[in-house]
Structures are given as structure tokens and as C-alpha cells.
């Protein structure tokens, strides 16, 4: 019995620990804890320059919180978790200069255009580092906001009312009521 215990601890236990550590290195995080994407990736392959779109739809180690759908939450604070850490631990760097908001931990003041900046995510330290490209190709970007649905845009209220009646229009004729039970 003592010989089998001795053989296990001397020969098999170190082998099992070594095999487990090699498996953990391969399976835990990509590139041993960090991932880098060049601006060329965002321009030519992903074809979208928005950080939120990349984190929410493509990065599997980031959990992004969105309050609503249809980009109605765009003005809200950027909240996401890097590899399960709290969003308040997120740190942002632009060319080595820290750009996070000190009043609201985990948020940043500025989201760089990913067509002109490369992105490095460090999964161990919850950091996003943006580096400006030396050569930025000629490009033109346009954005247009037509307002909220049912807001300033012409005919949107009528379009919504084709499918959904307002609260005052849902009152049954002949049975007015002030509140719902």
C-alpha cells in the first residue's frame, strides 16, 4: 500500500499537475490574457467602427449590458464586464494616456473611432488600450439622427398609430374610464 501511494505522489501527481496547467493555458483566455485588433480589421473585415458593436456582437469574453434595443440606449453609460470582472474595474487608455471617467468608475469620456485606432483588450487587468494609427486612409463618415420614433420626424406618429392606438384612443366608446383596474 505504501509503495502505491509513494508511486502516485512521486510520478503521477506531478504529471497530472503539469497536464492540467498546460490545458488551462490553452483554454482559459485567447493569446494568454490579451487580444489585439488592428484598425485594418475593423475597416476591412468587421466593417464597423463602433466599440459597442464589437464588444456586444463579436467578443466572447466581454458581457455587454444593453438597456433597450434599437440603439435607444446610445447616450447611456457604456457598461460591460471583461471576463466576469465588475464593470467598475474597466480602464481605458488612448495612446498610453488614461481616459476613464473618475466620477463614474468603469465608463469613459471618449470612444475612439476604430477605423483609425487599434484596440487591445487585456482580460486579466480589465483594460482597453486604443492606439492611433500612424497612417490613416482617406475616408468620410456621416451620421444622421432623425429623432426618436414618434418624435420630430414627420409622419412617424401616424405610422406608429397604424399598428398601435394611443391610451386615449383605446378607451371604449360609451364606457369612459379614468384609470385601469
Amino acid at each position: 500500500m505504501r509503495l502505491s501511494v509513494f508511486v502516485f505522489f512521486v510520478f503521477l501527481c506531478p504529471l497530472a499537475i503539469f497536464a492540467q496547467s498546460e490545458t488551462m493555458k490553452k483554454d482559459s483566455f485567447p493569446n494568454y490574457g490579451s487580444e489585439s485588433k488592428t484598425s485594418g480589421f475593423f475597416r476591412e473585415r468587421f466593417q464597423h467602427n463602433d466599440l459597442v458593436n464589437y464588444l456586444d456582437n463579436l467578443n466572447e469574453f466581454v458581457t455587454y449590458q444593453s438597456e433597450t434595443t434599437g440603439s435607444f440606449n446610445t447616450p447611456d453609460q457604456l457598461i460591460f464586464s471583461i471576463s466576469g470582472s465588475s464593470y467598475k474595474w474597466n480602464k481605458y487608455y488612448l495612446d498610453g494616456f488614461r481616459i476613464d471617467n473618475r466620477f463614474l468608475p468603469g465608463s469613459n469620456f471618449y470612444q475612439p473611432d476604430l477605423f483609425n485606432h487599434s484596440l487591445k483588450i487585456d482580460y486579466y487587468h480589465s483594460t482597453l488600450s486604443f492606439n492611433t494609427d500612424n497612417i490613416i486612409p482617406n475616408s468620410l463618415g456621416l451620421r444622421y439622427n432623425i429623432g426618436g420614433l414618434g418624435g420630430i420626424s414627420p409622419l412617424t406618429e401616424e405610422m406608429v398609430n397604424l399598428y398601435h392606438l394611443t391610451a386615449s384612443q383605446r378607451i371604449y366608446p360609451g364606457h369612459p374610464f379614468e384609470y385601469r383596474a
Side-chain angles (χ1 to χ4, degrees), residues 129-161:
S129 301
F130 303 97
N131 291 318
T132 308
D133 286 349
N134 294 332
I135 300 171
I136 299 173
N138 294 333
S139 64
L140 175 67
L142 298 173
R143 292 185 181 206
Y144 177 65
N145 186 356
I146 59 172
L149 189 62
I152 308 169
S153 302
L155 301 178
T156 54
E157 187 175 351
E158 289 80 9
M159 181 181 73
V160 170
N161 287 335

Side-chain angles (χ1 to χ4, degrees), residues 3 9 46 53 61 74 98 141 168 179-180:
L3 180 64
F9 281 111
F46 189 55
N53 196 342
F61 292 100
T74 302
R98 193 162 174 183
S168 61
Y179 61 92
R180 294 184 183 193

Side-chain angles (χ1 to χ4, degrees), residues 64-171:
Y64 177 77
Q65 174 186 347
S66 60
E67 298 290 333
T68 60
T69 59
S71 295
F72 286 111
N73 66 333
T74 302
D76 292 343
Q77 180 183 358
L78 182 64
I79 296 177
F80 59 91
S81 168
I82 299 175
S83 66
S85 300
S86 172
Y87 77 93
K88 293 184 177 185
W89 298 352
N90 294 345
K91 295 178 284 298
Y92 303 87
Y93 293 92
L94 178 62
D95 294 328
F97 181 71
R98 193 162 174 183
I99 59 170
D100 19 335
N101 185 347
R102 298 304 171 109
F103 295 109
L104 297 170
S107 65
N108 62 346
F109 289 117
Y110 174 68
Q111 290 184 31
D113 182 6
L114 295 180
F115 284 171
N116 303 329
H117 296 83
S118 60
L119 171 66
K120 180 180 179 185
I121 301 176
D122 186 350
Y123 297 111
Y124 291 136
H125 300 103
S126 297
T127 60
L128 278 79
S129 301
F130 303 97
N131 291 318
T132 308
D133 286 349
N134 294 332
I135 300 171
I136 299 173
N138 294 333
S139 64
L140 175 67
L142 298 173
R143 292 185 181 206
Y144 177 65
N145 186 356
I146 59 172
L149 189 62
I152 308 169
S153 302
L155 301 178
T156 54
E157 187 175 351
E158 289 80 9
M159 181 181 73
V160 170
N161 287 335
L162 285 175
Y163 303 104
H164 306 285
L165 297 176
T166 63
S168 61
Q169 292 170 338
R170 284 192 298 250
I171 295 178

Side-chain angles (χ1 to χ4, degrees), residues 11-82:
F11 295 109
L12 298 177
C13 197
L15 183 63
I17 292 172
F18 176 75
Q20 182 181 8
S21 67
E22 288 299 314
T23 304
M24 289 176 67
K25 282 182 189 176
K26 293 177 185 174
D27 293 339
S28 60
F29 292 121
N31 300 325
Y32 300 104
S34 66
E35 180 179 9
S36 298
K37 298 289 183 189
T38 64
S39 60
F41 168 79
F42 293 105
R43 277 192 308 267
E44 297 154 12
R45 307 276 314 271
F46 189 55
Q47 296 183 351
H48 207 287
N49 64 342
D50 189 19
L51 175 66
V52 172
N53 196 342
Y54 171 71
L55 295 177
D56 190 23
N57 298 319
L58 196 61
N59 195 308
E60 60 189 45
F61 292 100
V62 172
T63 304
Y64 177 77
Q65 174 186 347
S66 60
E67 298 290 333
T68 60
T69 59
S71 295
F72 286 111
N73 66 333
T74 302
D76 292 343
Q77 180 183 358
L78 182 64
I79 296 177
F80 59 91
S81 168
I82 299 175

